[in-house]
Amino acid sequence: MTVMPAITYNFAYLDEQTKRMIRRAILKAIAIPGYQVPFASREMPMPYGWGTGGVQVTAAILGADDVLKVIDQGSDDTTNAVAIRGFFKATAGVATTTRTQEATVIQTRHRIPETALTAGQVLVYQVPIPEPLRFLEPRETETRKLHGLADYGLMHVKLYEDISRHGHIATTYAYPVAVAGRYVMDPSPIPKFDNPKMDDCPALQLFGAGREQRIYAIPPHTRVVSLDFEDHPFEVQRFDKPCALCGAQDVYLDEVILDDRGGRMFVCSDTDHCESRRADGHVGPLGAPPPGKGKP
Amino acid sequence: MSDISQAQASLARGFNDPARDSQTAFRALMYAMARPGVPRALEARLSPPAPLTPELAALALTVLDYETTVWLDPALAGEAAVVDFLRFHTSARLVTEPEAAQFALIADGSALPAFSRFAQGEPDYPDRSTTLLVAVSSFTDGPFQVEGPGLPAPVGFGATPLPADMTQRLAENRALFPLGIDLVLAAPGAILALPRSVRVREEA
């Protein structure tokens, strides 16, 4: 009887040459905060749009002693997050976690964890469209020129048109930011609620766009300003009610439909934050107290 | 040096475990770049031919491959064993014009060539600039004050040997932002980065 050889991969899946190429792009990205560095994005064993850019950045930085957390819209337990965590567990043998504080590398799709990040942590964003000006100017040659000249008038016109049409800036996600006073950057489709967390963040923030072949970065403690106007200052979303499960007030909430008669509740989008609050005994209007602490 | 011992020196080993060793060196380099002016420990278990230092060799093996061009300063380029070591382990293309190089390896920090001789990047592609990897003998806490992205407050640093006009050179480099060169200093056991984004003052 012949035994099928076990499939082995290079550490963290990518070959060393690819990692070096991505690493060189990451170094340039850190040196020029907010500038999109082109890189030779590889085909990954997942479709574009599922985080191939983030996965390649994570693969290039990951070491054997790292602890990896992956979130998808704040959640540790959705398909994308579970699959990517499993991918690196299998190909790099790294430890994984759902706790924000325990992670050294956090790959994220469309959220920044509610728990404040710390120095030494790396936040890797999955980015679909890295170019903030793309929907205003489709030509790459032109957007490059605009970045080169720091000509961001188009973006301000777009925000102004929001105001003239809606009375306020109606952009709610992928809200453009200026990094270190120079490059305007797309923070990936995070809710603008999360924009203030990028400013002066102690963690290193890396952005990977696989299909669009761009890597960019925000070094720790870098000034990140959401674009606005003096008479229409930048504002984040506000929620009328606290999280239905843990009662948190100052967090980003997801809507959950409860029945077909209009019943709904709003719960923390960051599942780890919600779980640790509930474990600490916080209970929201629809939440059950932790086991052993009385009847629901 | 006899022919045989020279051949042995030029075949000095590369990384023991390329995947893990280069990752460790890269993480040190990445954090050094993200926290300018702050030395970051780098344990380089290499014995490359002199004047290539173990740290400089570790950085070279981490970033160089057949896709990159590298310029060697006269001290390194004059040593056949160094050239052979880099050729064998990285396959990087050696260039004689500094402005054609993506990376420059410099063994003698006091003889740092003028930054303007290297690629500065282009307005549309500021990443197309040279990264200078420079060997120094030690780091100190002064006399320079560095501030910029990556640092919550200015930090002091110094390194020997460096040219006397280092502050002015770094100021001129900063004035070109987002163009300009990025600098990585490698001392025994530690590296320190000065990306183009930093402002450096010299304490009186």
Side-chain angles (χ1 to χ4, degrees):
Chain A
M1 197 176 98
T2 55
V3 180
M4 287 284 284
I7 297 171
T8 55
Y9 295 100
N10 188 35
F11 181 80
Y13 184 78
L14 291 176
D15 58 283
E16 289 306 302
Q17 198 276 328
T18 297
K19 285 193 216 164
R20 272 192 298 271
M21 173 271 296
I22 295 170
R23 287 168 181 170
R24 289 193 293 262
I26 291 173
L27 294 176
K28 288 292 178 195
I30 295 171
I32 319 167
Y35 167 72
Q36 304 160 49
V37 184
F39 81 111
S41 179
R42 301 294 196 246
E43 293 236 5
M44 297 301 286
M46 52 168 61
Y48 289 129
W50 287 74
T52 54
V55 163
Q56 289 180 78
V57 170
T58 301
I61 66 171
L62 211 57
D65 48 359
D66 272 317
V67 181
L68 179 70
K69 171 183 164 84
V70 183
I71 53 172
D72 177 357
Q73 302 263 22
S75 171
D76 289 284
D77 46 18
T78 53
T79 310
N80 202 194
V82 172
I84 293 172
R85 222 166 34 233
F87 176 74
F88 283 115
K89 215 176 188 170
T91 58
V94 292
T96 59
T97 183
T98 58
R99 304 298 305 272
T100 302
Q101 305 96 303
E102 290 169 6
T104 55
V105 176
I106 303 173
Q107 183 173 327
T108 174
R109 173 178 172 271
H110 305 186
R111 269 318 301 281
I112 298 175
E114 304 287 359
T115 311
L117 301 176
T118 55
Q121 288 184 315
V122 184
L123 187 60
V124 179
Y125 295 74
Q126 302 171 196
V127 183
I129 309 280
E131 177 52 70
L133 302 166
R134 182 59 69 233
F135 292 109
L136 308 170
E137 171 52 69
R139 289 167 297 182
E140 171 72 6
T141 47
E142 292 303 304
T143 52
R144 281 217 163 257
K145 229 171 259 168
L146 293 173
H147 282 295
L149 299 168
D151 181 353
Y152 296 118
L154 261 184
M155 189 54 90
H156 278 104
V157 170
K158 188 229 171 212
L159 296 176
Y160 171 74
E161 283 181 349
D162 263 11
I163 295 169
S164 63
R165 229 175 265 160
H166 307 287
H168 62 277
I169 298 176
T171 305
T172 54
Y173 67 94
Y175 192 104
V177 292
V179 182
R182 178 57 177 80
Y183 281 96
V184 164
M185 188 195 93
D186 184 331
S188 86
I190 58 171
K192 67 178 175 180
F193 181 90
D194 283 341
N195 273 22
K197 294 180 193 157
M198 290 192 288
D199 183 37
D200 198 27
C201 176
L204 171 64
Q205 302 172 74
L206 301 175
F207 298 76
R211 182 187 50 216
E212 302 290 322
Q213 312 192 325
R214 296 290 184 273
I215 285 172
Y216 50 108
I218 305 175
H221 300 291
T222 298
R223 202 158 51 87
V224 178
V225 180
S226 304
L227 302 185
D228 62 357
F229 299 98
E230 272 176 27
D231 51 345
H232 285 274
F234 173 76
E235 282 175 344
V236 299
Q237 291 100 328
R238 302 207 179 285
F239 300 91
D240 302 332
K241 289 180 184 167
C243 168
L245 297 178
C246 78
Q249 298 272 8
D250 47 356
V251 296
Y252 193 73
L253 301 179
D254 278 343
E255 182 182 6
V256 176
I257 307 288
L258 295 174
D259 51 36
D260 59 359
R261 291 185 299 278
R264 63 182 60 177
M265 66 172 180
F266 288 89
V267 296
C268 287
S269 128
D270 185 335
T271 50
D272 170 56
H273 186 72
C274 199
E275 278 163 21
S276 41
R277 273 180 59 84
R278 276 181 285 159
D280 291 346
H282 297 277
V283 184
L286 294 178
K293 295 202 177 173
K295 280 183 186 172
Chain B
M1 204 183 250
S2 75
D3 282 357
I4 289 170
S5 67
Q6 183 160 5
Q8 280 169 342
S10 69
L11 288 175
R13 291 180 61 105
F15 284 134
N16 237 342
D17 182 344
R20 282 161 184 82
D21 291 355
S22 61
Q23 190 274 339
T24 311
F26 167 72
R27 276 294 268 271
L29 183 53
M30 183 178 85
Y31 284 129
M33 226 18 141
R35 290 179 185 76
V38 182
R40 184 97 200 167
L42 173 63
E43 194 189 340
R45 275 165 294 198
L46 293 168
S47 1
L52 194 61
T53 66
E55 291 74 23
L56 210 52
L59 295 179
L61 298 195
T62 301
V63 297
L64 298 180
D65 55 37
Y66 67 85
E67 289 185 339
T68 54
T69 50
V70 60
W71 180 83
L72 304 180
D73 77 346
L76 290 170
E79 203 61 52
V82 170
V83 173
D84 290 345
F85 175 85
L86 292 171
R87 278 222 172 99
F88 180 80
H89 288 295
T90 73
S91 313
R93 200 144 45 87
L94 300 178
V95 294
T96 49
E97 294 302 317
E99 73 263 22
Q102 285 165 270
F103 291 92
L105 291 180
I106 292 152
D108 184 358
S110 61
L112 207 52
F115 293 164
S116 58
R117 290 182 61 199
F118 296 98
Q120 309 291 315
E122 302 153 28
D124 290 2
Y125 290 93
D127 55 303
R128 292 179 182 171
S129 62
T130 311
T131 302
L132 275 58
L133 309 173
V134 183
V136 294
S137 46
S138 66
F139 293 132
T140 53
D141 290 340
F144 302 110
Q145 283 281 316
V146 55
E147 59 183 326
L151 297 171
V155 296
F157 88 95
T160 49
L162 285 179
D165 60 343
M166 197 60 189
T167 326
Q168 196 196 334
R169 288 184 187 215
L170 289 168
E172 285 169 6
N173 192 49
R174 180 62 181 82
L176 295 170
F177 189 87
L179 306 188
I181 57 108
D182 304 312
L183 196 61
V184 180
L185 306 178
I191 54 173
L192 179 156
L194 295 168
R196 67 193 79 177
S197 56
V198 297
R199 291 176 195 282
V200 175
R201 286 183 295 114
E202 195 161 357
E203 283 174 337

